[in-house]
Amino acid sequence: MKIYDIEGFPNPLRVRIALAEKGAMDKVEFIPIDVMGGEHRSNAFTAKNPDATVPLLELDDGTCIAQCNAITEYIDGVFDGPSLTGTTPKERACIAMMNLRAENGLMNAVGAYFHHATPGLGADLETWQCAEWGNKQKEVANTTMAYFNSVLENNEFLAGDSFSIADITAFAGLVFADFAKVDIPESLSNLQAWRAKVAVRPSIVG
Amino acid sequence: MKIYDIEGFPNPLRVRIALAEKGAMDKVEFIPIDVMGGEHRSNAFTAKNPDATVPLLELDDGTCIAQCNAITEYIDGVFDGPSLTGTTPKERACIAMMNLRAENGLMNAVGAYFHHATPGLGADLETWQCAEWGNKQKEVANTTMAYFNSVLENNEFLAGDSFSIADITAFAGLVFADFAKVDIPESLSNLQAWRAKVAVRPSIVG
């Protein structure tokens, strides 16, 4: 299978962490996409992924899977190792809920701030911006950080006692927050401690 | 188990269709939330669901599951009947991808238009609006409709040959589009035919 992505970007990071958690980084051929040059919006790429986003997973039969959550669902299902998406219906539901909160409230909120209320990836790529929306989403990201801090008062990880896709999404969201200069308050000590713990996982330090 | 919701609203509809598809409507106690009166933002409700959204699933052990996708994951796992979220990793990934496209590109896009670029639920509830964003999201919804029309050229349902959560999300998104007066072009004949077929499923006609 192939993954089209660009190293160092926040959404590609999510799938790379998931693959590393499953010990499967060497099972995938990575194909770099020149996002800064707009390759993700080319006809050749949008024929595979109409979302015009990376990462994109292409299976050996030609099936293309876009969206980090969908790609991680596949990775989690086909490779061995601890489950990232849960096994019982209750686990799966709790992880899905927290992952959505991490995606919408942190990753995508930081992304909206970055792409709409800052120069983002530059004028050639940021063809439509709405600064008012972007700035509001920065507030959403800060609210989500405070909420996660409260969750981590009692939980070791965001969806309970086990590391999951929700932790991956939130961790990548904080990496993006650093890059976009969205402050992560020092006062959120549970979040800071969780981040430090996740940052030293073998899937992340490599 | 209990579901806190309000009948007739688009996101509650998604979970009610999922329950009906699994033949499980009578396994759940529905508790009405006075959304128009702001009950979903009360301290009592946000203690259960910090997202301040309906529907919310509360299990008998007190666990609260918010977010339609997470609730449907639970429903699909615990009740019999055809799977709504897929069984193989490839099926699960394809369904998750199409469901995300339906959620972000249609349901949430229509919602953003309705809540930001129209009077929405009224001044008491729409405390922050960004019309520029809302109007752009209406364009996103129209683009997604055209994309789904192309998908349905070759597929019986959005994620292949079987009805899935992606169809539920998109169907509810079109119901919301009608309500919000976001046109569904007659020229999108595959989408119209799919909609007519889904509309007569027993889970929807009741």
Side-chain angles (χ1 to χ4, degrees):
Chain A
M1 66 185 78
K2 298 171 185 168
I3 288 181
Y4 301 83
D5 77 350
I6 174 171
E7 209 172 342
F9 272 45
N11 281 303
L13 176 63
R14 294 163 67 183
V15 165
R16 284 170 178 252
I17 294 173
L19 277 167
E21 287 282 337
K22 304 293 275 191
M25 279 294 276
D26 61 351
K27 302 291 198 301
V28 173
E29 178 189 357
F30 287 93
I31 298 173
I33 294 295
D34 177 15
V35 169
M36 295 308 294
E39 187 182 357
H40 58 305
R41 295 180 187 165
S42 66
N43 291 341
F45 190 78
T46 58
K48 293 181 187 291
N49 178 14
D51 299 334
T53 54
V54 289
L56 173 71
L57 170 67
E58 186 173 33
L59 305 184
D60 293 343
D61 69 3
T63 303
C64 286
I65 310 287
Q67 302 281 348
C68 289
N69 293 338
I71 296 171
T72 304
E73 191 70 62
Y74 185 82
I75 290 168
D76 203 31
V78 294
F79 296 118
D80 292 338
S83 174
L84 299 171
T85 56
T87 45
T88 69
K90 182 176 157 184
E91 271 177 13
R92 290 190 60 80
C94 288
I95 290 170
M97 173 179 70
M98 294 307 287
N99 186 51
L100 278 161
R101 287 177 176 160
E103 180 161 68
N104 294 328
L106 191 56
M107 171 64 75
N108 291 352
V110 169
Y113 168 71
F114 176 71
H115 291 295
H116 288 280
T118 82
L121 296 178
D124 286 351
L125 290 171
E126 307 295 358
T127 53
W128 185 82
Q129 292 192 298
C130 181
E132 187 186 3
W133 179 261
N135 283 313
K136 182 71 173 184
Q137 293 304 302
K138 185 181 184 180
E139 292 176 29
V140 169
N142 284 129
T143 301
T144 303
M145 289 175 193
Y147 164 68
F148 283 162
N149 192 68
S150 71
V151 168
L152 292 163
E153 182 75 35
N154 301 309
N155 284 9
E156 194 178 348
F157 293 103
L158 285 177
D161 294 332
S162 300
F163 182 84
S164 77
I165 184 176
D167 298 287
I168 295 175
T169 305
F171 184 83
L174 293 186
V175 170
F176 198 4
D178 283 344
F179 181 76
K181 299 190 171 58
V182 176
D183 284 342
I184 306 162
E186 285 297 328
S187 62
L188 300 180
S189 55
N190 302 323
L191 185 67
Q192 296 282 3
W194 164 88
R195 187 186 196 183
K197 179 174 65 183
V198 172
V200 296
R201 292 178 74 85
S203 65
I204 291 170
V205 289
Chain B
M1 66 186 77
K2 298 170 185 169
I3 288 181
Y4 300 83
D5 77 350
I6 174 172
E7 210 172 341
F9 272 45
N11 280 304
L13 176 63
R14 294 163 66 182
V15 165
R16 284 170 178 252
I17 294 173
L19 278 167
E21 286 284 336
K22 304 294 275 190
M25 280 295 276
D26 61 350
K27 302 292 197 301
V28 173
E29 178 188 357
F30 287 94
I31 299 173
I33 294 295
D34 177 14
V35 169
M36 295 309 293
E39 186 182 359
H40 58 304
R41 295 180 188 166
S42 67
N43 290 341
F45 190 78
T46 58
K48 292 181 188 292
N49 179 13
D51 299 333
T53 54
V54 289
L56 173 71
L57 170 67
E58 186 173 33
L59 305 184
D60 293 344
D61 69 3
T63 302
C64 286
I65 310 287
Q67 301 280 349
C68 289
N69 294 338
I71 296 171
T72 304
E73 191 69 62
Y74 185 82
I75 290 168
D76 204 31
V78 295
F79 295 118
D80 292 338
S83 174
L84 299 172
T85 56
T87 46
T88 69
K90 182 176 156 183
E91 271 178 13
R92 291 190 59 81
C94 288
I95 290 170
M97 173 180 70
M98 294 306 288
N99 185 51
L100 279 161
R101 287 178 177 160
E103 180 160 67
N104 293 328
L106 191 56
M107 171 64 74
N108 292 352
V110 170
Y113 168 71
F114 175 71
H115 291 296
H116 288 281
T118 81
L121 297 177
D124 286 351
L125 289 170
E126 307 295 359
T127 53
W128 185 81
Q129 291 192 299
C130 181
E132 186 185 3
W133 179 260
N135 283 314
K136 182 71 173 184
Q137 293 305 302
K138 185 182 185 179
E139 291 176 28
V140 170
N142 284 130
T143 300
T144 303
M145 289 176 194
Y147 164 67
F148 283 162
N149 191 68
S150 71
V151 168
L152 292 163
E153 183 75 35
N154 302 309
N155 285 8
E156 193 177 350
F157 293 103
L158 286 177
D161 294 332
S162 301
F163 182 84
S164 77
I165 184 176
D167 298 287
I168 295 175
T169 304
F171 184 84
L174 293 186
V175 169
F176 198 5
D178 283 344
F179 180 76
K181 299 189 171 57
V182 175
D183 285 342
I184 307 162
E186 286 296 329
S187 60
L188 300 180
S189 55
N190 302 323
L191 185 67
Q192 297 282 3
W194 164 89
R195 188 187 195 183
K197 178 174 66 182
V198 172
V200 295
R201 292 178 74 85
S203 65
I204 291 170
V205 289

